[in-house]
Amino acid sequence: MMKLNTYAREYIDNYDINIDYQKITGQMKDFSGAELVMFNIFDENAKDFTLVGIEGSGNNIRRAMDIIGYNIVGSALPGKVISILESVFQIDHILTVRITKDDKTIGNFTLIFKKNQNRNDDEMLKLFASQVGLFIDKKESEQKTLATTKQFQSLMKNSVSIITIVDNMGNYIHASDSAAKLIGLPAEELIGKNFLKVLPEKNEEFMNAIATINKTKKPLIKKEIYTVHNQERIYESIVFPI
């Protein structure tokens, strides 16, 4: 249990955006006492999977790969393959420990135990797998968030449209480079400033727009006149809640 708690703490404190599948496979081998451990991650269909980690002696790994191959489809090894493995490795048994999320298989560990080999309790192995599942789910969520953030940042930097995001008090939270250029401040200086201080002549109109969309929860389309480089320009604006 102490070893399991150590692994769980390591997963919680892990700040690397990527998942070290091979390291997790090694931890399962150490925790389970298995002769050979294979770690599979399933596709979205929960049927096809990819071998992402294998841990054991080099000779055992080579022999297992000769028998199994790298591209097995299914949630368990075929009976014929198990029979071959049993004869080659003098196996006591093969255990598959599933990793699930919302009753859907997202991965599994295939553990091969030799005869008379000590091993951890099956329930403890399931508990280990559940910790790995939580860790994988966390990392996948972080990766999706990072990808979304990068897309958003790219949009704000490269969009020719003038985009600003403000809170209900009129403070700028985000601004596209094109918006910052129009207002006349670098984007990093604009963030945190209040609309009243940046465009005081538009403050009453802007705050009325915020009050309207907060009440209706619908977009507000309006035309606005801005003076840019001593020239008046008309902009059609869409203000909406997010």
Side-chain angles (χ1 to χ4, degrees):
M1 182 60 77
M2 290 180 62
K3 185 174 289 187
L4 182 61
N5 289 336
T6 300
Y7 293 152
R9 175 52 58 186
E10 182 180 326
Y11 297 154
I12 292 171
D13 295 338
N14 187 294
Y15 298 106
D16 191 345
I17 196 65
N18 298 311
I19 302 173
D20 190 341
Y21 292 110
Q22 188 61 39
K23 182 178 180 180
I24 294 173
T25 309
Q27 290 173 339
M28 176 54 110
K29 182 179 185 298
D30 181 48
F31 186 69
S32 66
E35 179 73 13
L36 188 71
V37 176
M38 289 170 282
F39 186 11
N40 306 302
I41 292 295
F42 282 72
D43 295 340
E44 290 294 328
N45 61 16
K47 294 181 179 180
D48 302 334
F49 61 73
T50 302
L51 179 68
V52 294
I54 183 167
E55 190 71 35
S57 69
N59 188 45
N60 283 341
I61 290 174
R62 284 192 298 272
R63 285 193 294 169
M65 288 302 94
D66 286 342
I67 297 168
I68 297 171
Y70 286 89
N71 297 306
I72 302 172
V73 176
S75 59
L77 297 176
K80 184 177 180 180
V81 173
I82 291 177
S83 297
I84 298 173
L85 287 171
E86 287 175 342
S87 62
V88 171
F89 291 100
Q90 295 185 327
I91 289 171
D92 178 66
H93 70 283
I94 294 176
L95 179 66
T96 299
V97 184
R98 295 172 62 228
I99 304 170
T100 61
K101 178 186 177 183
D102 299 328
D103 295 324
K104 180 180 178 181
T105 301
I106 61 173
N108 68 25
F109 292 98
T110 300
L111 304 133
I112 297 177
F113 294 92
K114 293 185 74 171
K115 292 183 188 230
N116 302 319
Q117 187 175 24
N118 293 327
R119 63 183 179 85
N120 219 322
D121 180 79
D122 289 358
E123 292 302 316
M124 293 295 290
L125 299 182
K126 292 177 183 178
L127 187 56
F128 176 90
S130 70
Q131 293 296 321
V132 172
L134 291 172
F135 175 65
I136 291 174
D137 187 50
K138 171 190 170 187
K139 286 302 170 184
E140 288 180 346
S141 178
E142 289 174 356
Q143 290 168 352
K144 290 177 182 177
T145 299
L146 179 61
T148 300
T149 299
K150 286 182 177 179
Q151 290 172 348
F152 174 77
Q153 291 172 339
S154 179
L155 171 68
M156 298 301 277
K157 181 173 181 61
N158 299 304
S159 176
V160 295
S161 297
I162 296 164
I163 306 170
T164 59
I165 300 177
V166 299
D167 62 20
N168 283 331
M169 302 303 296
N171 300 308
Y172 287 96
I173 299 173
H174 296 287
S176 64
D177 284 7
S178 56
K181 183 177 180 181
L182 171 67
I183 294 171
L185 287 173
E188 59 271 17
E189 291 185 22
L190 184 59
I191 305 307
K193 289 187 180 296
N194 190 272
F195 192 90
L196 173 61
K197 294 183 179 180
V198 176
L199 296 168
E201 70 280 4
K202 295 288 182 181
N203 186 62
E204 184 177 356
E205 181 182 348
F206 184 76
M207 295 308 292
N208 286 338
I210 289 180
T212 299
I213 64 171
N214 277 336
K215 182 178 180 180
T216 64
K217 306 299 181 185
K218 295 180 180 179
L220 180 65
I221 302 174
K222 57 193 182 73
K223 288 187 177 181
E224 298 177 292
I225 300 175
Y226 288 91
T227 301
V228 181
H229 304 307
N230 297 320
Q231 292 184 345
E232 284 192 349
R233 296 185 181 180
I234 300 175
Y235 291 88
E236 185 177 69
S237 299
I238 305 176
V239 186
F240 56 92
I242 57 173

